[in-house]
């Protein structure tokens, strides 16, 4: 969410940081002479106040999200292949920080790219563990499978598996906006991909967020915008790796370690509730700098903060 017609994360690291800082604090180098937005002159002639066409924003989001565990597959030993782990619900808590660059292509259309870092933890309670002994070859394996099947229905309340997820995030998005008088409406949509670094896996996220709000203009280019809306979020997580990194209960982890020290897992997860409500405000100190705060409420809870520089 950016701007007034709101539409809408061989050089060394030190040099890159200095270049990024210079973009945020540099004096105005673009403006009304810019090619973008297309049809901007016509919009201003009709009385619309347009934002500067280019923007950089740095944002932070904290999130808590219930998710569904679609499947858990263990491999590396016939007994592991026959195990069925019932842990169909998990809670994800995490955060991300993103850098976003955007441009107003038209007065009503903004496009942007996102580059950032996401980290979080998914915890799921293991309700039971069963083993299909009929599918396991060998007398010893069948006996072990029966033992696991008998013990797997009486697990302690703290029987959990835990996945730590962190990695780079990148994506693209667009916002379509319009308004009448001091009222505005917009729909922001983006797709991001996070590559998990600690284990093999990825998180694919599609977001669509409609909002409506009211704005107040003040002297010196200052402006306050207050809005409410909703957010649709479809998250698909696919994770795989060594069983030792799955965070299973110690007793079960010890048995699996003896069976298959190099055992693997595959976990597929998705969001429980795709919709939640949002409310927030955006304040422009002038035509160059603005801040945004937004809170999400409902089954999925979020807190979002961003500072933006327009050029």
């Amino acid at each position: 969410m950016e701007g007034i017609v709101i539409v809408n994360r061989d050089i060394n690291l030190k040099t890159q940081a200095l270049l990024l800082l210079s973009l945020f604090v540099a004096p105005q180098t673009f403006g009304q002479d810019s090619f973008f937005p297309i049809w901007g002159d016509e919009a201003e002639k009709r009385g619309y106040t347009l934002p500067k066409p280019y923007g950089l924003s740095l944002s932070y989001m904290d999130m808590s999200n219930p998710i569904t565990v679609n499947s858990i597959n263990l491999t590396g030993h016939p007994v592991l292949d026959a195990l069925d782990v019932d842990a169909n619900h998990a809670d994800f808590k995490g955060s991300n920080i993103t850098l976003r660059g955007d441009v107003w292509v038209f007065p009503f259309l903004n496009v942007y790219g996102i580059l950032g870092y996401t980290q979080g933890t998914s915890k799921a309670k293991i309700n039971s563990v069963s083993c299909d002994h009929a599918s396991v070859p060998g007398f010893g394996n069948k006996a072990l499978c029966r033992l696991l099947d008998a013990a797997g229905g009486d697990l302690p309340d703290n029987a959990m598996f835990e996945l730590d997820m962190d990695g780079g995030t990148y994506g693209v998005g667009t916002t379509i906006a319009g308004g009448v008088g001091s009222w505005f409406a917009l729909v922001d949509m983006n797709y991001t991909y996070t590559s998990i670094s600690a284990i093999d896996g990825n998180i694919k996220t599609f977001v669509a967020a409609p909002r409506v709000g009211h704005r107040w203009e003040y002297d010196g280019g200052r402006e306050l915008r207050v809005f409410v809306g909703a957010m649709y979020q479809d998250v698909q997580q696919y994770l795989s790796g060594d069983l030792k990194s799955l965070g299973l209960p110690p007793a079960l982890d010890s048995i699996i370690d003896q069976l298959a020290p190099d055992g693997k897992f595959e976990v597929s997860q998705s969001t429980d509730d795709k919709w939640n409500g949002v409310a927030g405000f955006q304040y422009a100190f002038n035509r160059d700098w603005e801040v945004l705060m937004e809170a999400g409420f409902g089954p999925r809870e979020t807190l979002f903060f961003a500072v933006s520089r327009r050029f």
Side-chain angles (χ1 to χ4, degrees):
M1 173 176 174
E2 301 286 348
I4 299 218
V5 184
I6 314 286
V7 185
N8 272 7
R9 253 111 30 157
D10 302 324
I11 302 177
N12 59 35
L13 292 176
K14 182 178 180 181
T15 304
Q16 293 181 30
L18 291 174
L19 287 173
L20 178 60
L21 181 62
S22 68
L23 287 173
F24 268 81
V25 302
Q28 170 70 20
T29 57
F30 301 97
Q32 300 304 312
D33 294 334
S34 170
F35 176 75
F36 294 111
I38 300 170
W39 302 337
D41 291 339
E42 289 82 352
E44 290 187 332
K45 289 177 182 178
R46 296 190 179 195
Y48 292 98
T49 303
L50 300 182
K52 292 183 177 180
Y54 307 98
L56 278 177
S57 62
L58 186 65
S59 65
Y60 172 84
M61 174 179 279
D62 188 81
M63 68 195 84
S64 175
N65 193 18
I67 57 179
T68 297
V69 181
N70 300 314
S71 64
I72 302 174
N73 296 316
L74 310 181
T75 60
H77 189 277
V79 174
L80 295 182
D81 295 336
L83 282 180
D84 180 20
V85 181
D86 178 12
N88 53 19
H89 177 81
D91 290 308
F92 175 81
K93 296 183 183 297
S95 63
N96 65 31
I97 183 169
T98 58
L99 178 67
R100 190 178 92 170
D102 73 271
V103 58
W104 285 96
V105 179
F106 295 100
F108 55 85
L109 178 66
N110 181 277
V111 295
Y112 56 88
I114 299 171
L115 181 65
Y117 182 81
T118 299
Q119 63 178 4
T121 301
S122 170
K123 294 183 179 180
K125 182 180 183 301
I126 302 177
N127 300 313
S128 64
V129 176
S130 59
C131 189
D132 182 12
H133 60 272
S135 65
V136 177
F139 176 79
N141 289 336
K142 287 183 180 294
L144 179 58
C145 190
R146 290 178 183 274
L147 180 62
L148 290 173
D149 192 54
D154 189 26
L155 296 175
D157 291 338
N158 63 349
M160 310 275 288
F161 77 80
E162 181 176 322
L163 291 170
D164 292 323
M165 295 176 278
D166 63 279
T169 298
Y170 54 91
V172 293
T174 185
T175 310
I176 302 172
V180 177
S182 296
W183 293 92
F184 64 86
L186 63 90
V187 177
D188 178 61
M189 296 175 288
N190 62 69
Y191 175 84
T192 58
Y193 179 92
T194 300
S195 179
I196 306 301
S197 58
I199 56 179
D200 295 330
N202 58 71
I203 303 174
K204 300 175 183 178
T205 305
F206 173 75
V207 173
R211 300 179 180 92
V212 294
H214 191 276
R215 62 190 181 94
W216 293 266
E217 292 185 88
Y218 307 100
D219 294 337
R222 295 176 297 124
E223 185 172 319
L224 174 65
R225 308 155 202 144
V226 178
F227 58 88
V228 295
M231 180 181 293
Y232 172 89
Q233 188 178 77
D234 183 18
V235 179
Q236 301 294 329
Q237 300 177 353
Y238 175 77
L239 311 163
S240 64
D242 296 331
L243 279 173
K244 294 179 180 179
S245 63
L246 194 54
L248 294 170
L252 186 58
D253 195 41
S254 176
I255 295 174
I256 291 176
D257 192 45
Q258 294 179 24
L259 287 176
D262 299 324
K264 304 291 184 180
F265 73 88
E266 294 180 355
V267 175
S268 173
Q269 302 181 142
S270 59
T271 46
D272 274 2
D273 298 288
K274 292 182 168 56
W275 286 97
N276 71 307
V278 297
F281 73 90
Q282 189 173 27
Y283 182 75
F285 298 97
N286 47 49
R287 294 197 69 221
D288 297 329
W289 291 95
E290 54 193 30
V291 294
L292 168 69
M293 291 192 68
E294 178 182 281
F297 48 90
R300 178 174 59 250
E301 297 179 349
T302 60
L303 184 62
F304 179 83
F305 175 80
V307 57
S308 303
R309 171 75 158 96
R310 303 215 63 81
F311 304 89

